[in-house]
Amino acid sequence: MKKALLIFCATFMLSFVAMAQSQEQGNVRFHGYGTFGLRYNNFGAGAGLEYFFVDKFALMPSFTFVFPDVGKESNFSADLRYYVSEGSSQLYFMAGYSQTWQNTQPDGAGTRRNEKGANVGVGAYIRLTDFIGLSTEFRFQSPYPREVGFRVGLAIPL
């Protein structure tokens, strides 16, 4: 009887974990990531929440702080993702809205920019363990500075 109860509990927990790793409606993932822009070689750090509103389609709003050599920069993105594969390695295509704020001299009279535009890219979610995955992305952002770059980080299903 104890073995049957143990097997039932283990099966139930594994099915819950498998469900959390899929791309089904209502699932949510928290993303923490680092960015690297290929044009200006700027690093950044950010976070976002990915919400699957229907199977294989997700919305991901995210906010990134970029660390340029001079000044301050930040970016807000709201992306639509479409997953083309399932399993431990999940490939997706994305497109969305982007807004970038820049101040080239934050301690004085500097040039402030507020640019709006679009994002386009491709990425992958790679499951490392049952509770964490690797999130990678290659994207182009049309707002100034019109940067092509990489995002790499960790994703945690909630």
Side-chain angles (χ1 to χ4, degrees), residues 100-158:
T100 300
W101 295 274
Q102 269 188 331
N103 188 351
T104 58
Q105 295 179 354
D107 295 331
T111 303
R112 292 186 179 181
R113 291 189 179 138
N114 182 0
E115 300 274 334
K116 299 173 185 97
N119 296 325
V120 133
V122 63
Y125 170 81
I126 302 163
R127 184 173 47 215
L128 300 175
T129 68
D130 291 338
F131 302 106
I132 197 162
L134 178 67
S135 176
T136 61
E137 189 172 278
F138 180 74
R139 65 171 30 213
F140 169 74
Q141 291 185 301
S142 69
Y144 187 82
R146 293 177 187 85
E147 189 88 78
V148 174
F150 293 99
R151 279 186 174 185
V152 177
L154 297 175
I156 302 167
L158 301 177

Short mmCIF file of all heavy atoms in Angstrom, two decimals, residues 100-158:
data_model
loop_
_atom_site.label_atom_id
_atom_site.label_comp_id
_atom_site.label_asym_id
_atom_site.label_seq_id
_atom_site.Cartn_x
_atom_site.Cartn_y
_atom_site.Cartn_z
N THR A 100 12.96 52.94 -25.70
CA THR A 100 14.27 53.15 -25.09
C THR A 100 14.38 54.58 -24.58
O THR A 100 14.01 55.52 -25.27
CB THR A 100 15.39 52.89 -26.12
OG1 THR A 100 15.29 51.54 -26.57
CG2 THR A 100 16.77 53.10 -25.51
N TRP A 101 14.91 54.72 -23.35
CA TRP A 101 15.18 56.03 -22.75
C TRP A 101 16.69 56.16 -22.60
O TRP A 101 17.34 55.27 -22.07
CB TRP A 101 14.53 56.15 -21.39
CG TRP A 101 13.05 56.11 -21.42
CD1 TRP A 101 12.20 57.15 -21.63
CD2 TRP A 101 12.23 54.95 -21.24
NE1 TRP A 101 10.90 56.70 -21.58
CE2 TRP A 101 10.89 55.36 -21.35
CE3 TRP A 101 12.50 53.60 -21.01
CZ2 TRP A 101 9.82 54.49 -21.23
CZ3 TRP A 101 11.43 52.72 -20.89
CH2 TRP A 101 10.11 53.17 -21.00
N GLN A 102 17.25 57.30 -23.05
CA GLN A 102 18.67 57.56 -22.96
C GLN A 102 18.91 58.95 -22.40
O GLN A 102 18.17 59.88 -22.71
CB GLN A 102 19.33 57.51 -24.34
CG GLN A 102 19.85 56.19 -24.74
CD GLN A 102 20.65 56.32 -26.03
OE1 GLN A 102 20.40 57.18 -26.86
NE2 GLN A 102 21.61 55.45 -26.18
N ASN A 103 19.97 59.08 -21.60
CA ASN A 103 20.46 60.37 -21.14
C ASN A 103 21.97 60.30 -21.23
O ASN A 103 22.61 59.55 -20.49
CB ASN A 103 19.99 60.65 -19.71
CG ASN A 103 20.31 62.07 -19.28
OD1 ASN A 103 21.02 62.80 -19.96
ND2 ASN A 103 19.79 62.44 -18.12
N THR A 104 22.55 61.10 -22.14
CA THR A 104 23.99 61.00 -22.38
C THR A 104 24.83 61.68 -21.30
O THR A 104 26.01 61.40 -21.19
CB THR A 104 24.36 61.58 -23.76
OG1 THR A 104 23.92 62.94 -23.82
CG2 THR A 104 23.73 60.77 -24.86
N GLN A 105 24.21 62.59 -20.52
CA GLN A 105 24.92 63.24 -19.42
C GLN A 105 23.96 63.37 -18.24
O GLN A 105 23.35 64.43 -18.05
CB GLN A 105 25.44 64.61 -19.84
CG GLN A 105 26.49 64.55 -20.92
CD GLN A 105 26.98 65.93 -21.32
OE1 GLN A 105 26.45 66.93 -20.88
NE2 GLN A 105 27.99 65.96 -22.16
N PRO A 106 23.83 62.37 -17.42
CA PRO A 106 22.82 62.39 -16.36
C PRO A 106 23.08 63.40 -15.26
O PRO A 106 22.16 63.77 -14.54
CB PRO A 106 22.86 60.97 -15.81
CG PRO A 106 24.20 60.46 -16.18
CD PRO A 106 24.58 61.12 -17.45
N ASP A 107 24.31 63.89 -15.10
CA ASP A 107 24.60 64.83 -14.02
C ASP A 107 24.52 66.29 -14.46
O ASP A 107 24.80 67.19 -13.69
CB ASP A 107 25.99 64.56 -13.44
CG ASP A 107 26.05 63.21 -12.77
OD1 ASP A 107 25.00 62.75 -12.28
OD2 ASP A 107 27.14 62.60 -12.75
N GLY A 108 24.19 66.55 -15.70
CA GLY A 108 24.12 67.92 -16.19
C GLY A 108 23.13 68.03 -17.33
O GLY A 108 22.27 67.18 -17.52
N ALA A 109 23.29 69.09 -18.10
CA ALA A 109 22.42 69.29 -19.25
C ALA A 109 22.88 68.36 -20.36
O ALA A 109 23.88 68.61 -21.04
CB ALA A 109 22.49 70.74 -19.71
N GLY A 110 22.19 67.30 -20.53
CA GLY A 110 22.57 66.31 -21.53
C GLY A 110 21.50 66.17 -22.60
O GLY A 110 20.53 66.92 -22.65
N THR A 111 21.70 65.23 -23.44
CA THR A 111 20.74 64.93 -24.48
C THR A 111 19.86 63.78 -24.02
O THR A 111 20.36 62.69 -23.75
CB THR A 111 21.45 64.54 -25.79
OG1 THR A 111 22.33 65.60 -26.16
CG2 THR A 111 20.46 64.27 -26.89
N ARG A 112 18.58 64.03 -23.92
CA ARG A 112 17.63 62.99 -23.52
C ARG A 112 16.87 62.52 -24.74
O ARG A 112 16.36 63.33 -25.50
CB ARG A 112 16.67 63.50 -22.46
CG ARG A 112 17.36 63.78 -21.17
CD ARG A 112 16.39 64.16 -20.10
NE ARG A 112 17.15 64.38 -18.88
CZ ARG A 112 16.61 64.70 -17.74
NH1 ARG A 112 15.31 64.85 -17.65
NH2 ARG A 112 17.35 64.87 -16.68
N ARG A 113 16.80 61.22 -24.89
CA ARG A 113 16.07 60.64 -26.00
C ARG A 113 15.02 59.68 -25.46
O ARG A 113 15.26 58.96 -24.50
CB ARG A 113 17.01 59.88 -26.93
CG ARG A 113 17.94 60.75 -27.68
CD ARG A 113 18.67 59.93 -28.73
NE ARG A 113 19.55 60.81 -29.48
CZ ARG A 113 20.77 60.50 -29.82
NH1 ARG A 113 21.27 59.33 -29.52
NH2 ARG A 113 21.49 61.35 -30.50
N ASN A 114 13.89 59.65 -26.12
CA ASN A 114 12.82 58.72 -25.82
C ASN A 114 12.36 58.16 -27.17
O ASN A 114 11.62 58.81 -27.89
CB ASN A 114 11.68 59.43 -25.10
CG ASN A 114 10.57 58.49 -24.71
OD1 ASN A 114 10.61 57.30 -24.98
ND2 ASN A 114 9.55 59.05 -24.09
N GLU A 115 12.83 56.98 -27.52
CA GLU A 115 12.59 56.40 -28.83
C GLU A 115 11.64 55.21 -28.72
O GLU A 115 11.75 54.40 -27.80
CB GLU A 115 13.91 55.91 -29.45
CG GLU A 115 14.93 56.99 -29.65
CD GLU A 115 14.76 57.72 -30.96
OE1 GLU A 115 14.21 57.14 -31.90
OE2 GLU A 115 15.17 58.88 -31.02
N LYS A 116 10.73 55.10 -29.69
CA LYS A 116 9.80 53.97 -29.75
C LYS A 116 10.04 53.22 -31.05
O LYS A 116 10.41 53.82 -32.06
CB LYS A 116 8.36 54.46 -29.69
CG LYS A 116 8.03 55.19 -28.43
CD LYS A 116 6.64 55.80 -28.51
CE LYS A 116 6.39 56.63 -27.29
NZ LYS A 116 6.63 58.03 -27.47
N GLY A 117 9.80 51.91 -31.02
CA GLY A 117 10.00 51.12 -32.23
C GLY A 117 9.58 49.68 -32.04
O GLY A 117 8.70 49.37 -31.24
N ALA A 118 10.25 48.80 -32.76
CA ALA A 118 9.87 47.39 -32.77
C ALA A 118 11.06 46.49 -32.46
O ALA A 118 12.22 46.89 -32.62
CB ALA A 118 9.30 47.03 -34.14
N ASN A 119 10.74 45.28 -32.03
CA ASN A 119 11.72 44.21 -31.81
C ASN A 119 11.40 43.07 -32.78
O ASN A 119 10.25 42.80 -33.06
CB ASN A 119 11.59 43.60 -30.41
CG ASN A 119 11.90 44.56 -29.33
OD1 ASN A 119 12.74 45.42 -29.47
ND2 ASN A 119 11.20 44.42 -28.22
N VAL A 120 12.44 42.37 -33.19
CA VAL A 120 12.26 41.17 -34.00
C VAL A 120 13.40 40.24 -33.64
O VAL A 120 14.53 40.69 -33.42
CB VAL A 120 12.28 41.56 -35.50
CG1 VAL A 120 13.13 40.70 -36.35
CG2 VAL A 120 10.90 41.66 -36.04
N GLY A 121 13.12 38.94 -33.53
CA GLY A 121 14.20 38.04 -33.18
C GLY A 121 13.79 36.59 -33.10
O GLY A 121 12.66 36.22 -33.41
N VAL A 122 14.74 35.79 -32.67
CA VAL A 122 14.56 34.35 -32.50
C VAL A 122 15.24 33.95 -31.20
O VAL A 122 16.22 34.57 -30.79
CB VAL A 122 15.14 33.58 -33.72
CG1 VAL A 122 16.64 33.78 -33.84
CG2 VAL A 122 14.79 32.12 -33.66
N GLY A 123 14.69 32.95 -30.54
CA GLY A 123 15.27 32.53 -29.27
C GLY A 123 14.95 31.09 -28.95
O GLY A 123 14.25 30.40 -29.71
N ALA A 124 15.44 30.66 -27.80
CA ALA A 124 15.21 29.29 -27.35
C ALA A 124 15.15 29.24 -25.83
O ALA A 124 15.85 30.00 -25.15
CB ALA A 124 16.31 28.36 -27.85
N TYR A 125 14.29 28.37 -25.34
CA TYR A 125 14.23 28.04 -23.92
C TYR A 125 14.72 26.60 -23.81
O TYR A 125 14.16 25.71 -24.45
CB TYR A 125 12.80 28.17 -23.40
CG TYR A 125 12.61 27.62 -22.01
CD1 TYR A 125 12.96 28.37 -20.90
CD2 TYR A 125 12.10 26.35 -21.80
CE1 TYR A 125 12.80 27.88 -19.62
CE2 TYR A 125 11.93 25.84 -20.52
CZ TYR A 125 12.28 26.61 -19.44
OH TYR A 125 12.13 26.10 -18.18
N ILE A 126 15.77 26.39 -23.03
CA ILE A 126 16.36 25.06 -22.89
C ILE A 126 16.23 24.64 -21.44
O ILE A 126 16.79 25.28 -20.55
CB ILE A 126 17.84 25.06 -23.31
CG1 ILE A 126 17.95 25.54 -24.77
CG2 ILE A 126 18.46 23.69 -23.14
CD1 ILE A 126 19.32 25.97 -25.18
N ARG A 127 15.47 23.58 -21.19
CA ARG A 127 15.25 23.12 -19.82
C ARG A 127 16.53 22.49 -19.28
O ARG A 127 17.09 21.57 -19.87
CB ARG A 127 14.11 22.10 -19.80
CG ARG A 127 13.76 21.67 -18.41
CD ARG A 127 12.53 20.79 -18.34
NE ARG A 127 12.56 19.74 -19.34
CZ ARG A 127 11.48 19.30 -19.96
NH1 ARG A 127 10.31 19.80 -19.69
NH2 ARG A 127 11.57 18.33 -20.85
N LEU A 128 17.04 23.02 -18.15
CA LEU A 128 18.23 22.48 -17.50
C LEU A 128 17.85 21.47 -16.43
O LEU A 128 18.45 20.40 -16.33
CB LEU A 128 19.04 23.62 -16.88
CG LEU A 128 19.56 24.68 -17.86
CD1 LEU A 128 20.25 25.80 -17.11
CD2 LEU A 128 20.48 24.05 -18.88
N THR A 129 16.89 21.84 -15.58
CA THR A 129 16.34 20.94 -14.57
C THR A 129 14.83 21.11 -14.61
O THR A 129 14.30 21.85 -15.44
CB THR A 129 16.86 21.27 -13.16
OG1 THR A 129 16.34 22.53 -12.75
CG2 THR A 129 18.38 21.29 -13.10
N ASP A 130 14.14 20.47 -13.69
CA ASP A 130 12.69 20.59 -13.66
C ASP A 130 12.22 21.97 -13.24
O ASP A 130 11.10 22.35 -13.53
CB ASP A 130 12.09 19.55 -12.71
CG ASP A 130 12.25 18.14 -13.25
OD1 ASP A 130 12.41 18.00 -14.48
OD2 ASP A 130 12.20 17.19 -12.45
N PHE A 131 13.07 22.74 -12.58
CA PHE A 131 12.65 24.01 -12.02
C PHE A 131 13.38 25.23 -12.58
O PHE A 131 13.17 26.33 -12.10
CB PHE A 131 12.78 23.99 -10.49
CG PHE A 131 11.98 22.88 -9.88
CD1 PHE A 131 12.61 21.76 -9.38
CD2 PHE A 131 10.60 22.95 -9.84
CE1 PHE A 131 11.88 20.73 -8.82
CE2 PHE A 131 9.85 21.92 -9.30
CZ PHE A 131 10.49 20.82 -8.78
N ILE A 132 14.25 25.02 -13.57
CA ILE A 132 14.98 26.16 -14.13
C ILE A 132 15.38 25.83 -15.56
O ILE A 132 15.61 24.69 -15.91
CB ILE A 132 16.22 26.50 -13.27
CG1 ILE A 132 16.72 27.88 -13.60
CG2 ILE A 132 17.30 25.47 -13.40
CD1 ILE A 132 17.62 28.46 -12.53
N GLY A 133 15.46 26.87 -16.39
CA GLY A 133 15.85 26.70 -17.78
C GLY A 133 16.74 27.83 -18.24
O GLY A 133 16.79 28.91 -17.63
N LEU A 134 17.44 27.60 -19.33
CA LEU A 134 18.31 28.60 -19.94
C LEU A 134 17.50 29.31 -21.02
O LEU A 134 16.87 28.68 -21.85
CB LEU A 134 19.54 27.93 -20.55
CG LEU A 134 20.53 28.83 -21.26
CD1 LEU A 134 21.20 29.77 -20.27
CD2 LEU A 134 21.56 28.00 -21.98
N SER A 135 17.52 30.62 -20.99
CA SER A 135 16.80 31.44 -21.97
C SER A 135 17.81 32.18 -22.82
O SER A 135 18.64 32.93 -22.30
CB SER A 135 15.87 32.42 -21.25
OG SER A 135 15.24 33.27 -22.15
N THR A 136 17.77 31.96 -24.14
CA THR A 136 18.69 32.64 -25.05
C THR A 136 17.88 33.33 -26.14
O THR A 136 16.81 32.86 -26.52
CB THR A 136 19.66 31.65 -25.71
OG1 THR A 136 18.92 30.70 -26.46
CG2 THR A 136 20.50 30.93 -24.67
N GLU A 137 18.41 34.45 -26.63
CA GLU A 137 17.66 35.20 -27.65
C GLU A 137 18.62 36.04 -28.48
O GLU A 137 19.57 36.63 -27.95
CB GLU A 137 16.64 36.08 -26.96
CG GLU A 137 15.67 36.76 -27.88
CD GLU A 137 14.57 37.46 -27.11
OE1 GLU A 137 13.61 36.79 -26.70
OE2 GLU A 137 14.70 38.68 -26.90
N PHE A 138 18.37 36.11 -29.77
CA PHE A 138 19.07 37.00 -30.69
C PHE A 138 18.02 37.94 -31.24
O PHE A 138 17.02 37.50 -31.81
CB PHE A 138 19.73 36.20 -31.82
CG PHE A 138 20.47 37.05 -32.80
CD1 PHE A 138 21.69 37.61 -32.46
CD2 PHE A 138 19.96 37.28 -34.06
CE1 PHE A 138 22.38 38.40 -33.36
CE2 PHE A 138 20.65 38.06 -34.97
CZ PHE A 138 21.86 38.62 -34.62
N ARG A 139 18.21 39.27 -31.06
CA ARG A 139 17.15 40.23 -31.41
C ARG A 139 17.71 41.49 -32.05
O ARG A 139 18.86 41.85 -31.82
CB ARG A 139 16.33 40.59 -30.18
CG ARG A 139 17.11 41.34 -29.14
CD ARG A 139 16.33 41.91 -27.98
NE ARG A 139 15.16 41.20 -27.63
CZ ARG A 139 14.06 41.76 -27.15
NH1 ARG A 139 14.01 43.05 -26.97
NH2 ARG A 139 13.02 41.05 -26.84
N PHE A 140 16.84 42.14 -32.82
CA PHE A 140 17.11 43.46 -33.37
C PHE A 140 16.07 44.42 -32.81
O PHE A 140 14.88 44.12 -32.81
CB PHE A 140 17.02 43.45 -34.90
CG PHE A 140 17.02 44.83 -35.49
CD1 PHE A 140 18.19 45.58 -35.54
CD2 PHE A 140 15.86 45.40 -35.97
CE1 PHE A 140 18.19 46.86 -36.06
CE2 PHE A 140 15.85 46.69 -36.50
CZ PHE A 140 17.02 47.41 -36.54
N GLN A 141 16.52 45.59 -32.33
CA GLN A 141 15.62 46.63 -31.83
C GLN A 141 15.75 47.85 -32.72
O GLN A 141 16.84 48.36 -32.93
CB GLN A 141 15.97 47.00 -30.39
CG GLN A 141 15.66 45.88 -29.42
CD GLN A 141 15.88 46.30 -28.00
OE1 GLN A 141 16.97 46.68 -27.62
NE2 GLN A 141 14.83 46.22 -27.20
N SER A 142 14.61 48.32 -33.23
CA SER A 142 14.63 49.46 -34.16
C SER A 142 14.80 50.82 -33.49
O SER A 142 15.29 51.74 -34.13
CB SER A 142 13.38 49.46 -35.03
OG SER A 142 12.24 49.77 -34.27
N PRO A 143 14.41 51.03 -32.21
CA PRO A 143 14.66 52.36 -31.63
C PRO A 143 16.16 52.62 -31.49
O PRO A 143 16.94 51.69 -31.35
CB PRO A 143 14.00 52.32 -30.26
CG PRO A 143 13.29 51.05 -30.15
CD PRO A 143 13.70 50.18 -31.29
N TYR A 144 16.51 53.90 -31.51
CA TYR A 144 17.91 54.27 -31.33
C TYR A 144 18.43 53.62 -30.06
O TYR A 144 17.73 53.64 -29.06
CB TYR A 144 18.05 55.80 -31.24
CG TYR A 144 19.48 56.25 -31.21
CD1 TYR A 144 20.19 56.37 -32.38
CD2 TYR A 144 20.11 56.51 -30.00
CE1 TYR A 144 21.52 56.77 -32.35
CE2 TYR A 144 21.43 56.90 -29.96
CZ TYR A 144 22.12 57.02 -31.14
OH TYR A 144 23.43 57.40 -31.11
N PRO A 145 19.54 52.98 -30.05
CA PRO A 145 20.65 53.00 -30.98
C PRO A 145 20.60 51.93 -32.07
O PRO A 145 21.61 51.62 -32.68
CB PRO A 145 21.85 52.81 -30.08
CG PRO A 145 21.36 51.98 -28.97
CD PRO A 145 19.92 52.36 -28.79
N ARG A 146 19.44 51.36 -32.36
CA ARG A 146 19.27 50.35 -33.42
C ARG A 146 20.27 49.22 -33.25
O ARG A 146 21.10 48.95 -34.11
CB ARG A 146 19.37 50.99 -34.79
CG ARG A 146 18.22 51.92 -35.04
CD ARG A 146 18.33 52.62 -36.37
NE ARG A 146 17.29 53.62 -36.49
CZ ARG A 146 17.36 54.86 -36.03
NH1 ARG A 146 18.44 55.25 -35.42
NH2 ARG A 146 16.37 55.69 -36.18
N GLU A 147 20.13 48.55 -32.15
CA GLU A 147 21.11 47.56 -31.70
C GLU A 147 20.68 46.14 -32.06
O GLU A 147 19.52 45.77 -31.90
CB GLU A 147 21.23 47.67 -30.18
CG GLU A 147 22.35 46.88 -29.58
CD GLU A 147 23.64 47.67 -29.55
OE1 GLU A 147 23.78 48.51 -28.67
OE2 GLU A 147 24.50 47.43 -30.41
N VAL A 148 21.61 45.36 -32.55
CA VAL A 148 21.46 43.92 -32.69
C VAL A 148 22.22 43.31 -31.53
O VAL A 148 23.36 43.70 -31.26
CB VAL A 148 22.03 43.41 -34.03
CG1 VAL A 148 22.00 41.91 -34.10
CG2 VAL A 148 21.28 44.02 -35.19
N GLY A 149 21.58 42.38 -30.81
CA GLY A 149 22.28 41.84 -29.65
C GLY A 149 21.75 40.52 -29.17
O GLY A 149 20.82 39.95 -29.74
N PHE A 150 22.35 40.05 -28.11
CA PHE A 150 22.02 38.77 -27.49
C PHE A 150 21.45 38.99 -26.10
O PHE A 150 21.84 39.93 -25.41
CB PHE A 150 23.28 37.90 -27.34
CG PHE A 150 23.86 37.43 -28.63
CD1 PHE A 150 24.95 38.08 -29.18
CD2 PHE A 150 23.31 36.35 -29.29
CE1 PHE A 150 25.50 37.65 -30.38
CE2 PHE A 150 23.84 35.93 -30.48
CZ PHE A 150 24.94 36.56 -31.02
N ARG A 151 20.55 38.11 -25.70
CA ARG A 151 20.08 38.01 -24.33
C ARG A 151 20.34 36.58 -23.88
O ARG A 151 20.00 35.63 -24.58
CB ARG A 151 18.58 38.23 -24.23
CG ARG A 151 18.11 39.63 -24.22
CD ARG A 151 16.62 39.64 -23.98
NE ARG A 151 16.13 40.98 -23.83
CZ ARG A 151 14.88 41.27 -23.51
NH1 ARG A 151 14.01 40.31 -23.30
NH2 ARG A 151 14.51 42.52 -23.37
N VAL A 152 20.93 36.43 -22.70
CA VAL A 152 21.16 35.11 -22.13
C VAL A 152 20.83 35.19 -20.65
O VAL A 152 21.27 36.12 -19.97
CB VAL A 152 22.63 34.66 -22.31
CG1 VAL A 152 22.87 33.32 -21.64
CG2 VAL A 152 22.99 34.59 -23.77
N GLY A 153 20.05 34.24 -20.17
CA GLY A 153 19.68 34.26 -18.76
C GLY A 153 19.01 32.98 -18.33
O GLY A 153 19.03 31.98 -19.04
N LEU A 154 18.39 33.05 -17.16
CA LEU A 154 17.70 31.90 -16.59
C LEU A 154 16.20 32.19 -16.53
O LEU A 154 15.79 33.32 -16.32
CB LEU A 154 18.23 31.60 -15.19
CG LEU A 154 19.70 31.21 -15.13
CD1 LEU A 154 20.14 31.06 -13.69
CD2 LEU A 154 19.97 29.94 -15.92
N ALA A 155 15.42 31.14 -16.72
CA ALA A 155 13.97 31.25 -16.66
C ALA A 155 13.46 30.25 -15.64
O ALA A 155 13.89 29.09 -15.61
CB ALA A 155 13.35 30.97 -18.02
N ILE A 156 12.53 30.70 -14.81
CA ILE A 156 11.95 29.87 -13.75
C ILE A 156 10.45 29.78 -13.95
O ILE A 156 9.76 30.80 -13.92
CB ILE A 156 12.26 30.47 -12.36
CG1 ILE A 156 13.75 30.61 -12.17
CG2 ILE A 156 11.63 29.63 -11.26
CD1 ILE A 156 14.14 31.48 -10.99
N PRO A 157 9.93 28.58 -14.21
CA PRO A 157 8.47 28.44 -14.32
C PRO A 157 7.81 28.72 -12.97
O PRO A 157 8.26 28.26 -11.94
CB PRO A 157 8.28 26.99 -14.73
CG PRO A 157 9.61 26.51 -15.19
CD PRO A 157 10.62 27.34 -14.48
N LEU A 158 6.73 29.48 -12.99
CA LEU A 158 6.01 29.80 -11.76
C LEU A 158 4.74 28.96 -11.66
O LEU A 158 4.18 28.53 -12.58
CB LEU A 158 5.64 31.28 -11.73
CG LEU A 158 6.83 32.24 -11.81
CD1 LEU A 158 6.35 33.68 -11.84
CD2 LEU A 158 7.77 32.03 -10.65
#
